[in-house]
Every structure is written in structure tokens, then in C-alpha cells.
Amino acid sequence: VGKGEVKTTGKLLLSLAFGKTIVTDEWVSKSSDAKKLLHPARFFPKDDNLAQVPPENRSELMTQKTLYFTPSLKKDYGGGFKEIEKIAKAVGAARVISKPPRELPAVSNGTSEHETVVLALEHGDSEVSALSEKGWKCYRKELLSNSILRGHLDLASDEFRIQPSVSQQKK
């Protein structure tokens, strides 16, 4: 990666999912100058969100989880949703689904909230209210990428949690 803030691209997320070491461009040039591959630790990107030492395989980060994307979020991704599905599967998601909230059973009807992670748009996603009424916690889409960057999924934190607001009420 280049210097500065690490850009969260699909390629970066897939590399992390498979436990690849992420280094700056400087590693390539310095290794070339030294005529040998230098130890990558000196060339890790300086990014607070990137848990890099040691590089770890993140392919089991979402093991046995179903990732549910609200239809509004899926639409927001547009053609990039296929890449998001690929990334989710690379980090162990058992299923990736997007369907109307009415088709997702209520949490109290035997569906485990610990097995399904609901991702939605933070603003303007009318499905958040309907899902919340069914007992689901909804999270911003950044939960997926940040979990991969950090190397762990933290559903207990409110950092990515979406609270339904008046603007998200069912129409």
C-alpha cells in the first residue's frame, strides 16, 4: 500500500481475509536496494484500524454467521455488492442474504441474533425500523470492513450500531 491512510478496498480486505501481510511500497524498493527480501515488520502501514502484527488469517471471522444486508444497503452498493458477497464469504460467512424485512423472522421466533448480523444504511434506510421492531440489532456497513481490518468482530460494542430514528420509521 502507499503511504498515509490505508484505503479500504476489496483487494485489501480479501488479502487480510486470507492472512496476507500488508506492507507499504517502501518494502519493495528497500528490498530491491538490499537485493533481498527484508523483514516486513518495519514496513507495516501506520494505520490505527489495521491490526497487523502478526498477520492473521481472518477466514473464520464470521464463521457460521449469516450476513443480512437490507435491500436499501444492497442497492447502495450497486454493482459492487458481488464483491461484498465475495469478501463476506472469504471471512467465513455461511450465507449472505438480502430480502425484505418481512421475510426475516423475529428474533423471538427461534432465530438467533448471534447467528445473523444485520447490516443497513446509517441514514435513510426505512428497513431499520421494521427490523428493530422484530428485535434485530442493525449495524452500519462499516462493521464488515472494520472487523476485517481489526481482526475481530465486536457485536457487543455500539460503535457501529444503528439506532432507529424518526427518519427511518416505516412508511
Side-chain angles (χ1 to χ4, degrees):
V1 296
K3 289 185 178 183
E5 186 178 329
V6 175
K7 290 184 177 37
T8 309
T9 63
K11 187 183 266 187
L12 174 75
L13 294 174
L14 283 171
S15 296
L16 289 169
F18 296 122
K20 303 299 180 195
T21 302
I22 307 298
V23 294
T24 62
D25 297 341
E26 188 179 24
W27 176 79
V28 175
S29 59
K30 297 279 184 178
S31 291
S32 177
D33 292 346
K35 298 192 182 342
K36 66 178 184 173
L37 295 178
L38 299 174
H39 194 279
R42 289 185 27 228
F43 303 96
F44 290 158
K46 308 259 187 289
D47 190 301
D48 293 339
N49 276 325
L50 185 58
Q52 181 65 303
V53 184
E56 56 186 72
N57 185 328
R58 290 157 168 92
S59 64
E60 295 182 2
L61 193 64
M62 306 263 179
T63 297
Q64 303 303 313
K65 300 259 187 252
T66 295
L67 291 186
Y68 170 86
F69 291 80
T70 62
S72 296
L73 179 55
K74 181 179 180 182
K75 182 179 178 185
D76 187 66
Y77 279 120
F81 187 72
K82 290 257 184 244
E83 184 175 42
I84 295 300
E85 285 181 296
K86 186 176 179 180
I87 292 166
K89 298 258 179 166
V91 292
R95 292 177 51 209
V96 177
I97 59 173
S98 179
K99 55 188 176 182
R102 69 179 175 276
E103 296 180 25
L104 196 64
V107 173
S108 60
N109 290 346
T111 305
S112 173
E113 189 177 14
H114 301 291
E115 295 170 1
T116 302
V117 178
V118 178
L119 299 171
L121 286 174
E122 183 174 14
H123 301 289
D125 193 332
S126 61
E127 290 114 354
V128 170
S129 180
L131 290 161
S132 295
E133 287 174 14
K134 290 181 151 194
W136 291 103
K137 292 179 183 173
C138 298
Y139 299 90
R140 295 187 346 247
K141 66 181 183 178
E142 292 83 9
L143 175 71
L144 177 61
S145 57
N146 278 284
S147 294
I148 295 168
L149 289 171
R150 296 172 183 175
H152 70 278
L153 174 64
D154 183 5
L155 297 176
S157 168
D158 285 340
E159 181 180 5
F160 298 103
R161 179 99 185 273
I162 300 172
Q163 300 296 334
S165 65
V166 175
S167 66
Q168 295 168 323
Q169 295 301 313
K170 270 174 57 174
K171 295 178 181 174

